[in-house]
Amino acid sequence: MRPTEALARIRRYDGRLKAFVQVFDPPLFGEDDDGPTVAIKDLFDVAGVPTGGGAQVPLDPSPARHALVVERLLQGGYSAVGKTHTVELAYGGWGTNRAVGAPWNPWDAKVHRAPGGSSSGSAVAVAAGLCDAALGSDTGGSVRIPAAICGVVGLKPGRGLVSLKGVHPLSPSLDTVGTLARDVTAAARALAVISGPDGDAAVRHPFDAGHALSADVRGRRLAAIPIEGLGELHPEVAQLYMEALERLRSTGVVIDMIQPPQALETSFTPNGLLMAGEGWRIWKDRIEAHAEVMDPWIVRRFQAGRDVSDARLAQAHAERAAGQAEFHAWLSQYDGLLSPTCPIPAPPLDTIDETTSPLSRLTRAANYLDLPGISVPCGLTDEGLPVGLQILGRPRDETSVVALGAAFERVSGWNGQSPDLSGFEP
């Protein structure tokens, strides 16, 4: 969409949606004034613009330069229309933020439902058609979770494909940068633009979106986790998941219903230990200085890392390496692994239990095991709330993840459904 159209939609709808913390009017133009529009999670530096990080006290009041991925988007012809809400310091899956407020999931104008986190505003902005694509970070599902429960596509690469330079960290061993968009094509093209090593290496964009989007998936063999191996699921999530598998079979793929050697949720606790242990070491001074104006639940999560000793953290990394080796060996016989993205649809904000993290129960494994993944919409519940299908790939095989996501999208019946925004008009 043209930048002028994006800004008009933001002015019309974002007063209630609150996807953006700052709107760029005029936009930050790249090489093409009429290129695709993009929103930037407020964890990424934009030169001269405060990086809030979801906090009352900015992480950087005036960055000297753009994050490398922002620079690449501008060079690639994208126009940046603003910075979007995030869970404070990106540490939460619900999308709540008691420090600066939470965006509104656009699929329900009457009830303030969770937008998903931590890339909450990016998902809301894309779902509401306020931009063509958005940047997010994903440490335990923070791109895929909000994508799933806001009804958009969330694409998370493996570590190393996309630079983290200029992106404020949560857990350096788990952090990745991903893209959100209304369809797989737009998400994949944005990933191609931002991918590549740090600096000005000759090979700037090693991910070939065109190749991935045109790949034939017929005959590919996929593993799908059976319902009984997924833990507690909302009944409609389970139903839509099984229907999604049948639709995907119609593309010519072969799907084996099989439980992996490690259930996805076994990664939940060790992934959380790494986040807390590494996050506390990074943000300790800030938390001790500003705890009184921070989201208290975020403070508690970081403080859990105080008791993680250096020896325990080293042991956790060794355990992770062993778990990765076992899982990667098993996954090598398949082209992908299927599950629901989230076990429940978006709940009302006032019913959320901040001591639990069910939305990330099936997503953290991708970060812990260092696998690329995508969440693609696979239907709506009877209440009209989106549900996502998660496709995980073999290490460094973003091409298959995108190919399978695009193949499913063509048969999903979703057809670019979007929420009714009439209830969000002033």
Side-chain angles (χ1 to χ4, degrees):
M1 83 181 61
R2 294 173 62 87
T4 52
E5 180 186 354
L7 291 175
R9 288 184 64 84
I10 292 169
R11 286 192 290 268
R12 183 175 182 182
Y13 296 115
D14 202 51
R16 280 196 65 207
L17 287 171
K18 300 188 185 305
F20 287 88
V21 295
Q22 182 160 359
V23 178
F24 301 153
D25 187 3
L28 299 181
F29 290 114
E31 300 296 325
D32 181 358
D33 289 358
D34 289 326
T37 53
V38 65
I40 300 163
K41 182 178 183 177
D42 197 21
L43 200 70
F44 295 65
D45 285 342
V46 173
V49 177
T51 304
Q56 290 189 29
V57 180
L59 308 186
D60 188 334
S62 185
R65 58 185 303 172
H66 299 322
L68 184 54
V69 289
V70 173
E71 188 67 39
R72 286 180 174 169
L73 283 170
L74 296 175
Q75 291 173 351
Y78 285 74
S79 297
V81 294
K83 301 197 78 176
T84 52
H85 266 282
T86 173
V87 174
E88 190 166 9
L89 297 176
Y91 203 175
W94 291 114
T96 52
N97 189 318
R98 285 166 175 77
V100 298
W104 194 298
N105 190 311
W107 289 88
D108 190 339
K110 296 181 179 179
V111 177
H112 193 174
R113 293 182 179 272
S118 62
S119 306
S120 52
S122 289
V124 171
V126 170
L130 309 184
C131 55
D132 294 310
L135 285 177
S137 62
D138 191 312
T139 308
S142 287
V143 163
R144 292 159 290 143
I145 291 168
I149 66 173
C150 286
V152 299
V153 173
L155 176 56
K156 170 214 168 296
R159 286 181 51 76
L161 184 69
V162 179
S163 171
L164 293 166
K165 186 178 295 184
V167 183
H168 292 261
L170 170 57
S171 175
S173 66
L174 300 168
D175 293 343
T176 55
V177 169
T179 57
L180 300 97
R182 291 283 292 278
D183 56 49
V184 176
T185 295
R189 287 177 176 167
L191 179 62
V193 171
I194 65 174
S195 66
D198 289 349
D200 297 319
V203 182
R204 285 289 303 278
H205 310 308
F207 176 66
D208 187 336
H211 173 65
L213 291 165
S214 62
D216 188 352
V217 301
R218 287 176 295 180
R220 298 202 186 195
R221 187 181 178 203
L222 308 178
I225 302 175
I227 294 294
E228 58 270 21
L230 290 165
E232 186 175 352
L233 294 181
H234 186 283
E236 289 181 88
V237 171
Q239 177 185 343
L240 290 168
Y241 170 58
M242 296 307 292
E243 292 175 0
L245 298 185
E246 286 305 308
R247 290 178 182 271
L248 190 52
R249 285 190 176 98
S250 73
T251 68
V253 302
V254 177
I255 299 179
D256 295 342
M257 302 299 295
I258 187 170
Q259 181 68 27
Q262 308 165 31
L264 292 186
E265 62 187 72
T266 61
S267 297
F268 183 89
T269 298
N271 195 88
L273 185 147
L274 290 173
M275 281 195 286
E278 294 183 354
W280 175 252
R281 285 159 171 77
I282 293 168
W283 297 112
K284 172 180 178 292
D285 291 345
R286 178 185 182 84
I287 293 165
E288 291 179 341
H290 301 298
E292 71 281 357
V293 294
M294 292 180 65
D295 186 321
W297 289 106
I298 301 299
V299 172
R300 291 187 191 188
R301 288 173 198 147
F302 278 109
Q303 287 176 340
R306 289 185 300 191
D307 298 328
V308 180
S309 66
D310 290 347
R312 180 65 187 97
L313 199 56
Q315 180 187 9
H317 282 294
E319 292 167 351
R320 181 189 183 204
Q324 284 182 351
E326 178 189 25
F327 202 95
H328 293 177
W330 174 81
L331 190 56
S332 65
Q333 63 190 309
Y334 294 104
D335 293 287
L337 173 63
L338 309 170
S339 76
T341 308
C342 299
I344 59 173
L349 243 63
D350 60 8
T351 68
I352 286 173
D353 180 357
E354 290 280 6
T355 66
T356 64
S357 302
L359 294 180
S360 64
R361 185 163 58 79
L362 302 176
T363 59
R364 285 190 183 183
N367 304 84
Y368 188 72
L369 300 170
D370 194 13
L371 305 174
I374 192 169
S375 179
V376 186
C378 67
L380 297 172
T381 67
D382 289 344
E383 287 188 284
L385 302 174
V387 172
L389 173 70
Q390 177 174 248
I391 305 171
L392 302 182
R394 294 169 300 206
R396 295 174 296 282
D397 191 9
E398 288 81 8
T399 297
S400 290
V401 165
V402 168
L404 291 164
F408 173 71
E409 186 176 68
R410 289 191 288 270
V411 299
S412 67
W414 182 256
N415 299 324
Q417 292 184 69
S418 58
D420 177 5
L421 297 182
S422 60
F424 292 98
E425 292 182 294

